[in-house]
Amino acid sequence: MAAIGYARVSTVDQDPQLQLDALATAGALRVFTDLGVSGAKADRPQLAACLDHLRTGDTLVVWKLDRLGRDTRHVLDVISDLTARGVTFASVTEGLHTEGPMGKAMLTIMAAFAQLERDIMLERTRAGLVAAAAKGRRGGRPSKVAAADVVRARDLLSKGLTADEIAKMLGVSRATVYRHLRDSPAEPSLVHPEAAP
């Protein structure tokens, strides 16, 4: 019977030390840590290793419930699987555990609130993108090609240069040249052969 910890940070720049210290204080003898892995991703190798390592009588300890996962269904599925295997679960920050009916009820409520928080965040992100689009801005990375370079590329194309030659002159890929010329209103017929439907 052992307390086994699981820690996760969403980006490689984040430091998991706060979680590791809390898990050590909670008595975790071993901690599995996923670095740079979003809670929304199904592929979390250290979580998989941790779950495989747990045995009947062990307790899985996390710093916060959202470290286990941000999707309510996934969190509850993991906890249900642990319970069926005779493994208990505890969240340090929320003071939650799966021992007893009150602990299980509180866990279900907290998982629902974690999902609600994630849904609200996604809703805000979508609303921000819609508002930005209404103002003529797009989400995503800034374009590598300035408007003046698109005009220059079109001029070079009309003089007989190939897309490869234009790409080398502008310092971008051939696909980028095709995409910008294709998307330009002045050149609607130019479509990269590989991008054609």
Side-chain angles (χ1 to χ4, degrees):
M1 295 172 59
I4 304 298
Y6 172 70
R8 179 185 59 77
V9 290
S10 300
T11 68
V12 290
D13 297 334
Q14 292 176 324
D15 187 354
Q17 196 58 51
L18 176 66
Q19 295 179 51
L20 299 178
D21 291 344
L23 294 172
T25 301
L29 301 178
R30 180 174 178 184
V31 178
F32 293 80
T33 306
D34 274 316
L35 301 173
V37 179
S38 167
K41 288 187 177 177
D43 183 27
R44 287 181 276 163
Q46 287 301 301
L47 176 60
C50 178
L51 295 175
D52 186 58
H53 177 81
L54 291 164
R55 299 292 179 258
T56 300
D58 288 347
T59 300
L60 172 61
V61 184
V62 296
W63 177 59
K64 286 180 71 175
L65 192 59
D66 69 357
R67 298 301 85 195
L68 185 60
R70 293 185 181 159
D71 176 87
T72 306
R73 184 75 263 149
H74 178 255
V75 169
L76 295 178
D77 284 347
V78 169
I79 292 172
S80 176
D81 178 62
L82 292 174
T83 302
R85 292 168 50 195
V87 176
T88 56
F89 173 81
S91 174
V92 174
T93 303
E94 292 94 354
L96 299 173
H97 56 82
T98 55
E99 294 175 332
M102 186 56 103
K104 291 176 185 176
M106 285 302 297
L107 260 173
T108 302
I109 292 167
M110 289 301 294
F113 276 110
Q115 179 65 37
L116 176 62
E117 183 179 1
R118 178 164 169 75
D119 289 345
I120 289 171
M121 185 174 67
L122 289 172
E123 183 79 20
R124 286 180 182 155
T125 301
R126 286 190 199 106
L129 290 171
V130 168
K135 294 177 182 175
R137 293 187 306 232
R138 290 191 316 185
R141 294 180 300 194
S143 175
K144 291 182 180 180
V145 181
D149 287 334
V150 174
V151 172
R152 182 174 173 217
R154 190 178 303 108
D155 181 54
L156 293 170
L157 185 70
S158 70
K159 292 179 180 174
L161 272 72
T162 67
D164 281 327
E165 293 168 331
I166 296 169
K168 286 178 187 172
M169 292 178 76
L170 297 178
V172 297
S173 70
R174 181 179 60 166
T176 298
V177 170
Y178 276 113
R179 182 173 58 254
H180 283 281
L181 290 177
R182 180 195 66 218
D183 293 343
S184 171
E187 201 67 52
S189 63
L190 181 62
V191 178
H192 191 301
E194 295 168 5

